[in-house]
Amino acid sequence: MSLQEDPTLERHFKGHKDAVTCADFNPNRKQLASGSVDKSLMIWNLAPKARAFRYVGHQDVITGVQFSPAGNLVATSSKDRTVRLWTPSMKGESTVFKAHTASVRSVAFSHDGQRLVTASDDKSVKVWSVHRQCFIYSLNQHTNWVRCARFSPDGRLIASCGDDRTVRLWDTSTKHCINCFTDSGESATFVGFNSSGTCIASSGADSSLKLWDLRTNKLIQHYQVHTAGINSFSFHPSNNYLISGSSDGTLKILDLLEGRLIYTLHGHKGIVITVAFSRAGDLFASGGADGQVLMWRTNFDTKSYQDVLQQHSRRSTPDPLPHLTDIHPRAPHLHRPQPTDIQISAAVADTLSTDPHVIELGQSVHSTTAAAANSHHFNGLSTHHMATSRVGGWMGEGSTSRAGAAVWSQTGDGGGGRGRREEEEEEERGQTHSLEVLSAQPSRLDSTLRHIVQQLDILTQTVSVLEERLSLTEDKLKECLLNQSQILKDVRSSGDRRRTESEETEGSPVHFT
C-alpha cells in the first residue's frame, strides 16, 4: 500500500436531524461524539457497520461536547443553560450541572479529567468539579457573551474569548485575569492551546486566525485564509498543523511551521461549524449545517513533516507552462501568481460507511443538579439549587429529568422494523455492543414516574424563581426603608433647625430707639 498523499474522506455519519454543532473523538480511538441543533448527543462507533447511539436529555441546542481524558465520560453544553455529564452506555445516564443563567456555549475537561470549564452568554466562565459534581468558582471580567473556554495542558491557565472581542488568560490558582488580548476586529469565536501549552490561537467572526506566544505574550502568526467567519479550529498533536472550519463552507489546513495554507477541503453542503483532530492526529472530524459528521484521514501520521512539505511543494508549485511572450523576442508581460494550496473536493461517496443503525436512549432516572445551595431529596432524587440570579429569559429551561428504567426504540436511519435474525447476524459481524435493544412502549408506571419527576422539577424551578424574587423584593424593601429613614432624619433635622431659630427669635431682647 502506497503512502497516502492527501487528507481523504473516510467515513460520513448520518443520523442527526439538524445542523451538527460540535464533535470530539474518544481517546480510546473507538468512538466519535457529536452534538446538534436537534438537541441530541450522538455516539458513533468507528468499527465498520457498528450501531450508533442517540442520547436525549437537553431541552435546547447542544453547543459543545468533549470526552474525558479516560474516555469513560462525555460532557455536553447547551443553550438550555445546563451542562450534562454522560456515561456513554446503554443506560443513557447523565448528571446535570446548573449554575449558568444563560446559554452555555462550550464545555471542556482539564487534562487530568478532574475539572470542567464552561463559557456562557451570562458573561461568565465557570469551573466545576467532576468528582464532586459541583460548581467551584466563576471568572467574571468579560463584558459580553463568552463563546469558548479551554484549560491549558498543565491546568494552570484558562483561555476564554467572546463577543467583547477579547481573548483572556486566567490563572486558575489566583482566579485573576493575567492577560487580555484585544486585537480582535469582531467577536472572538473560538480559542485553544497547542499541545505543549506554549501558545494559544483564537478565531474571529472577521475570518481571522491569530496565534500568540505565551512566553512573550506577542502575536506570532495571523492568517486570513477564509472568506467568512471561522467557527472552530483544532491543533494537530504535533503542533505543526491546524485545521479550521468556516461559514464559507470549507475546511482549511495550515502549515504552522511554514506559516501558510496547504489544503482547502470541500465536503459539506453549507457552513462548517465544528472541526476536531483525534488525540493521535491520524483522523479529524467535521460537522456542519448539512447535518453530517465527516471523518477524514490525514497523511501527517504516515509521512514525516519534511516529506509532506516536499511533496506539497512539488504539487502546489509545478513548473508552469511556458508563457507565449517568454519566446524570443521577449517583451514586458504579467505573470499571474499561482495559488499555493491544494484543493480537495470530497465528492466521491465513501464506500466504508452505510448509514448506521441508530439506537434511541431515553433519559435515565439518575439526574443530579450541581449546586451551591442546600439539597432537597424527593423520592430518592437529589436536586441542588444554585443561589444565582436568572437572566436571559428567552432561553429554555432544559432541566427536565425522566424517571424509571431507560427505554430504547429501534428508530433510526434505515433501522426500523428489523427482525431477530438481522440482529443476530449483526452481532455475529462483531458489533460494539451485544445487548438486545428493547422496543416496547414505556409502561404506565414509567410514564407516571416520569410525569412526577417533571412536576417536581417544575416545582423546584418555581421555588427557585420565587426565592430570587423574594430576595429582590427584600433588597427593594431595604432600599425603601433606608430612603424613608433618611427622609425622616432630614425632616427631623429641618424641624429642629426651625425650632431653634424660632426660640432664638423669641428670646432675643427688643431694642427701641
Side-chain angles (χ1 to χ4, degrees):
M1 179 178 174
S2 60
L3 289 178
Q4 171 189 335
E5 287 191 349
D6 299 317
T8 55
L9 178 62
E10 184 159 298
R11 298 277 299 275
H12 68 261
F13 299 98
K14 294 179 181 178
H16 280 298
K17 300 167 185 174
D18 211 325
V20 177
T21 57
C22 48
D24 189 48
F25 283 93
N26 192 323
N28 69 12
R29 306 179 70 177
K30 294 179 180 178
Q31 292 176 319
L32 172 64
S34 60
S36 169
V37 174
D38 67 12
K39 309 175 190 177
S40 70
L41 164 69
M42 295 288 295
I43 303 290
W44 311 93
N45 289 295
L46 302 187
K49 300 179 183 177
R51 293 175 293 187
F53 297 88
R54 178 182 285 117
Y55 296 91
V56 178
H58 280 295
Q59 303 300 304
D60 209 331
V61 176
I62 293 179
T63 56
V65 65
Q66 195 174 85
F67 276 98
S68 63
N72 61 326
L73 296 171
V74 180
T76 54
S77 58
S78 171
K79 280 189 176 182
D80 67 11
R81 310 183 191 183
T82 70
V83 174
R84 283 180 182 259
L85 202 58
W86 305 81
T87 304
S89 66
M90 291 294 285
K91 292 182 179 179
E93 295 178 340
S94 69
T95 302
V96 185
F97 292 74
K98 289 183 185 176
H100 284 294
T101 55
S103 296
V104 188
R105 294 287 176 179
S106 79
V107 62
F109 281 93
S110 59
H111 284 245
D112 60 5
Q114 298 300 308
R115 290 170 295 166
L116 286 173
V117 63
T118 54
S120 170
D121 286 0
D122 63 13
K123 306 177 189 177
S124 75
V125 174
K126 295 190 187 298
V127 176
W128 316 72
S129 169
V130 174
H131 177 66
R132 291 181 294 151
Q133 299 180 352
C134 66
F135 163 75
I136 306 175
Y137 62 87
S138 213
L139 305 171
N140 296 297
Q141 287 189 29
H142 279 284
T143 58
N144 208 329
W145 294 356
V146 190
R147 294 287 179 179
C148 184
R150 292 288 187 269
F151 280 106
S152 62
D154 60 10
R156 293 190 296 176
L157 300 173
I158 289 173
S160 62
C161 69
D163 285 8
D164 59 3
R165 304 183 180 183
T166 66
V167 177
R168 292 183 177 271
L169 206 59
W170 309 83
D171 186 324
T172 56
S173 58
T174 64
K175 321 293 189 294
H176 292 158
C177 179
I178 58 174
N179 210 335
C180 180
F181 304 100
T182 56
D183 197 24
S184 182
E186 291 185 32
S187 298
T189 55
F190 202 84
V191 69
F193 288 86
N194 68 351
S195 62
S196 60
T198 56
C199 78
I200 59 169
S202 73
S203 60
D206 59 356
S207 76
S208 67
L209 182 78
K210 297 175 181 179
L211 277 80
W212 283 273
D213 190 324
L214 297 182
R215 295 162 293 190
T216 61
N217 289 327
K218 290 187 178 176
L219 181 68
I220 53 174
Q221 289 184 348
H222 181 190
Y223 297 93
Q224 201 85 34
V225 294
H226 285 285
T227 57
I230 298 173
N231 300 311
S232 176
F233 64 81
S234 180
F235 279 100
H236 188 264
S238 68
N239 294 333
N240 294 341
Y241 308 97
L242 181 144
I243 186 167
S244 58
S246 165
S247 295
D248 64 11
T250 68
L251 295 87
K252 306 268 187 183
I253 298 180
L254 301 172
D255 177 347
L256 300 182
L257 295 186
E258 291 289 312
R260 65 193 179 101
L261 172 66
I262 55 173
Y263 289 109
T264 297
L265 309 179
H266 305 266
H268 288 280
K269 298 173 184 176
I271 69 174
V272 181
I273 303 173
T274 182
V275 293
F277 271 113
S278 64
R279 302 303 197 274
D282 56 333
L283 301 169
F284 62 90
S286 61
D290 58 5
Q292 289 191 93
V293 180
L294 303 183
M295 188 176 78
W296 311 72
R297 184 168 293 278
T298 71
N299 55 341
F300 309 145
D301 60 323
T302 55
K303 287 188 175 184
S304 70
Y305 174 77
Q306 290 300 327
D307 289 341
V308 172
L309 190 62
Q310 287 174 11
Q311 180 72 14
H312 184 276
S313 297
R314 284 196 296 270
R315 296 175 58 219
S316 63
T317 55
D319 293 334
L321 294 171
H323 200 284
L324 186 62
T325 49
D326 281 334
I327 304 171
H328 288 284
R330 292 182 179 176
H333 57 276
L334 176 67
H335 282 265
R336 297 192 179 275
Q338 297 290 322
T340 58
D341 62 315
I342 295 174
Q343 303 280 329
I344 298 176
S345 296
V348 180
D350 59 327
T351 57
L352 292 179
S353 59
T354 54
D355 293 344
H357 173 45
V358 178
I359 298 173
E360 311 276 348
L361 299 180
Q363 177 74 37
S364 165
V365 66
H366 180 69
S367 178
T368 309
T369 306
N374 295 328
S375 59
H376 302 275
H377 298 274
F378 300 112
N379 297 333
L381 291 173
S382 177
T383 307
H384 302 262
H385 305 283
M386 295 304 302
T388 54
S389 60
R390 194 179 293 252
V391 297
W394 54 276
M395 292 296 171
E397 287 303 325
S399 53
T400 305
S401 48
R402 301 174 183 175
V407 179
W408 307 290
S409 65
Q410 285 186 322
T411 59
D413 296 337
R418 303 201 311 178
R420 175 68 181 167
R421 179 173 298 232
E422 275 187 88
E423 285 291 331
E424 290 174 354
E425 289 175 357
E426 197 175 67
E427 295 299 332
E428 289 171 4
R429 286 197 296 265
Q431 297 304 313
T432 309
H433 295 276
S434 58
L435 296 171
E436 184 177 351
V437 181
L438 306 177
S439 58
Q441 292 295 321
S443 66
R444 180 173 290 180
L445 177 61
D446 286 339
S447 300
T448 305
L449 285 172
R450 189 158 53 245
H451 179 71
I452 290 170
V453 173
Q454 288 174 353
Q455 294 303 312
L456 287 173
D457 209 38
I458 292 169
L459 181 63
T460 297
Q461 292 173 27
T462 306
V463 170
S464 179
V465 171
L466 288 173
E467 285 175 354
E468 290 166 13
R469 289 180 178 173
L470 198 60
S471 63
L472 286 172
T473 306
E474 286 175 359
D475 292 342
K476 289 288 183 186
L477 195 58
K478 285 178 184 176
E479 190 179 338
C480 289
L481 289 171
L482 285 171
N483 290 337
Q484 195 172 16
S485 63
Q486 187 62 43
I487 291 168
L488 287 171
K489 283 180 183 177
D490 292 343
V491 169
R492 284 200 195 98
S493 61
S494 177
D496 292 342
R497 205 164 40 245
R498 286 201 194 97
R499 198 178 301 110
T500 303
E501 289 173 357
S502 175
E503 288 173 354
E504 287 175 353
T505 305
E506 291 174 0
S508 60
V510 180
H511 299 282
F512 296 97
T513 56

